[in-house]
Amino acid sequence: MRRTIFDEDHDAFRESCRTFVDRTLRPHQEKHIGNHELGREVWLELGKQGFLGLNVPEEYGGAGVDDLRFSLILAEELSRLAFAYSSCVGIHTNCVAPYLVDLCTEEQRQRWLPTFCTGELITALAMTEASGGSDLAALKSRAVADGEDWILNGSKTFITNGACADLVLVAARTNPERGAKGITLFAVQADMPGFERGRKLDKVGQPEADTSELFFDDVRVPPGNVIGEVDHGFIYMMQRLVAERIGSAVNNIAHARQILDETLDYVKERKAFGTPIGSFQANKFTLAELQTLAEVTQAYVDQCMVAAVDGTLTAVDAAKAKWWSAQAQNDILDACVQLWGGYGYMNEYRVARAWADARVSKIWAGSNEIMKELIGRDLGL
Ligand SMILES: Cc1cc2nc3c(=O)[nH]c(=O)nc-3n(C[C@H](O)[C@H](O)[C@H](O)COP(=O)(O)OP(=O)(O)OC[C@H]3O[C@@H](n4cnc5c(N)ncnc54)[C@H](O)[C@@H]3O)c2cc1C
């Protein structure tokens, strides 16, 4: 089914994203896998091409594009190469950017956004702690006022871009009495004494992504590094999770559709019993179901994307898009592995990597269970 939510400008932008992926990422993917990170040169090139500041106002070095579709097109094209690329870049462009643009003071914007756009300042968003990620309001990292400064203690885990980030937005408890209403966001700079990174975590998939533990031991954070108002961090995070979740949904389905296309080519070539495996009725029906699932999912995600552009996307609809697309992605990729037979289980095949890369989409940015919890609550249950 033809997608109807893009115009010629979007199509031209998609072409430039594809060129970037083919020239700058694809030839170096094995290096990114080996290093478990993209490397500064990729970030600088992303910045040079103008991809990092799409939704940042022009006066701070961005493109000032008031149309989320451009960021999401970039995310789709990155996902089509490998899920980790859209994860790493998306945290910076789709997750962190809105905090810096919407909540920062003029001085903070001037300080961070120009280098955010060039790729000289890589960012991360640190909410999850070892004691739990789903129940964000229960986080334990603590910041205590010391004169005008704050002294930050605690740790975070599973943080995308954690090892390479120059600036990390950290959620910490500033008012223990007030639960969710006692959490504040702090911008922690890489060179602040007491800020340490743990090892790059050994993940099942997405080897190109750096995912790390972070430790804060008496980190002195000046008042100029508080994001927004003290004790308002939780509501800021909730407000921005809608954009994060539609971003996830877009990546999920783009990733699955790319591998499904590659699998369709494969089943026409690969023979068993003298016949292309795709023409056995069992496989033909499977592929018919997968293609239908992919297109129907895409239609819903596209509608959500349009709603996100005009500001009407609800948290509940974003939750539906996120869990459904994650489930569809995992179902599609699991069936694709089956169709590739033994090769589908070999890491040198894209389908195997994609299958492993995708598993986390049902867990992160709000697990499928948490998404259903939100939807259930909206049903009055
Ligand atoms: C590769 C990767 C990258 C990540 N990147 C980041 C990042 O950049 N920044 C960041 O802050 N976090 C990041 N995360 C963390 C991620 O968001 C959390 O893992 C996620 O929110 C789940 O938290 P948890 O792992 O502590 O699981 P838990 O919260 O312990 O949940 C465990 C299980 O219990 C279920 N569960 C929990 N509560 C309920 C409930 N009420 N009803 C039903 N089931 C429930 C969950 O769905 C899950 O299946 C990343 C994680 C991974 C794996």
Side-chain angles (χ1 to χ4, degrees):
M1 180 179 270
R2 196 172 68 82
R3 298 174 72 190
T4 55
I5 63 165
F6 302 117
D7 63 23
E8 284 171 4
D9 288 344
H10 297 118
D11 294 342
F13 180 73
R14 187 183 293 282
E15 274 313 307
S16 65
C17 295
R18 284 188 178 165
T19 304
F20 171 81
V21 167
D22 287 339
R23 287 197 187 146
T24 310
L25 300 181
R26 201 181 299 277
H28 305 292
Q29 189 176 3
E30 290 306 316
K31 184 174 86 183
H32 303 152
I33 289 173
N35 293 344
H36 297 301
E37 65 173 49
L38 308 190
R40 179 72 62 175
E41 65 282 4
V42 168
W43 288 97
L44 294 175
E45 194 56 33
L46 280 158
K48 207 163 134 193
Q49 301 292 328
F51 290 138
L52 297 179
L54 288 170
N55 44 8
V56 172
E58 284 173 278
E59 64 262 41
Y60 307 110
V65 177
D66 188 23
D67 179 347
L68 186 68
R69 277 170 293 192
F70 287 96
S71 297
L72 296 179
I73 288 168
L74 172 64
E76 285 185 351
E77 294 307 316
L78 294 172
S79 294
R80 283 156 56 98
L81 175 59
F83 211 37
Y85 291 110
S86 53
S87 312
C88 296
V89 177
I91 285 285
H92 185 80
T93 56
N94 295 339
C95 299
V96 174
Y99 288 91
L100 299 185
V101 172
D102 304 344
L103 299 173
C104 280
T105 62
E106 181 57 25
E107 185 278 322
Q108 288 173 326
R109 288 195 197 108
Q110 297 281 3
R111 183 152 40 117
W112 293 320
L113 285 173
T115 47
F116 176 98
C117 294
T118 58
E120 291 160 277
L121 185 91
I122 302 171
T123 61
L125 183 57
M127 304 191 239
T128 305
E129 303 187 349
S131 56
S134 300
D135 186 6
L136 202 50
L139 61 82
K140 294 191 168 73
S141 291
R142 181 91 167 88
V144 177
D146 182 37
E148 290 210 320
D149 295 341
W150 292 88
I151 306 297
L152 175 64
N153 279 288
S155 64
K156 299 285 174 180
T157 194
F158 307 144
I159 306 306
T160 304
N161 297 341
C164 69
D166 305 294
L167 190 78
V168 185
L169 302 193
V170 180
R173 184 162 302 288
T174 35
N175 196 331
E177 319 291 300
R178 297 189 65 210
K181 291 184 180 156
I183 291 172
T184 302
L185 295 177
F186 296 93
V188 174
Q189 293 160 211
D191 58 359
M192 285 180 169
F195 172 37
E196 301 286 340
R197 340 257 177 156
R199 64 201 165 92
K200 285 182 194 162
L201 296 167
D202 181 17
K203 304 185 294 298
V204 168
Q206 300 196 29
E208 303 88 343
D210 111 46
T211 312
S212 303
E213 296 169 292
L214 306 178
F215 301 98
F216 309 96
D217 183 12
D218 282 338
V219 178
R220 181 170 287 278
V221 185
N225 281 35
V226 173
I227 303 292
E229 288 187 47
V230 171
D231 289 343
H232 282 56
F234 188 78
I235 184 75
Y236 294 150
M237 291 188 283
M238 291 302 110
Q239 287 164 343
R240 279 151 195 84
L241 278 174
V242 177
E244 188 175 338
R245 285 175 184 156
I246 184 58
S248 289
V250 165
N251 292 339
N252 294 345
I253 193 60
H255 181 236
R257 292 193 78 177
Q258 174 63 29
I259 300 299
L260 180 55
D261 287 348
E262 292 174 25
T263 302
L264 276 170
D265 290 340
Y266 180 71
V267 298
K268 289 173 189 161
E269 297 294 326
R270 176 77 175 172
K271 288 190 176 149
F273 303 97
T275 307
I277 57 165
S279 44
F280 296 123
Q281 192 185 50
N283 296 339
K284 199 189 300 180
F285 280 20
T286 296
L287 284 157
E289 288 171 17
L290 298 181
Q291 188 65 22
T292 309
L293 175 59
E295 291 191 24
V296 171
T297 303
Q298 187 75 70
Y300 186 77
V301 171
D302 280 357
Q303 279 312 108
C304 288
M305 220 192 294
V306 170
V309 170
D310 60 29
T312 57
L313 181 64
T314 65
V316 174
D317 286 346
K320 290 172 191 162
K322 191 201 172 261
W323 89 259
W324 178 270
S325 61
Q327 191 64 51
Q329 173 195 26
N330 275 267
D331 290 348
I332 290 168
L333 293 173
D334 194 66
C336 288
V337 166
Q338 190 70 18
L339 287 161
W340 283 76
Y343 298 105
Y345 199 62
M346 297 297 129
N347 268 329
E348 65 192 276
Y349 283 79
R350 279 172 52 76
V351 64
R353 283 186 180 163
W355 175 69
D357 291 349
R359 185 59 184 83
V360 75
S361 65
K362 296 197 284 183
I363 299 171
W364 68 10
S367 66
N368 279 19
E369 292 74 28
I370 296 297
M371 295 302 96
K372 290 176 194 177
E373 186 61 37
L374 294 176
I375 299 161
R377 261 185 247 159
D378 184 61
L379 295 172
L381 302 170

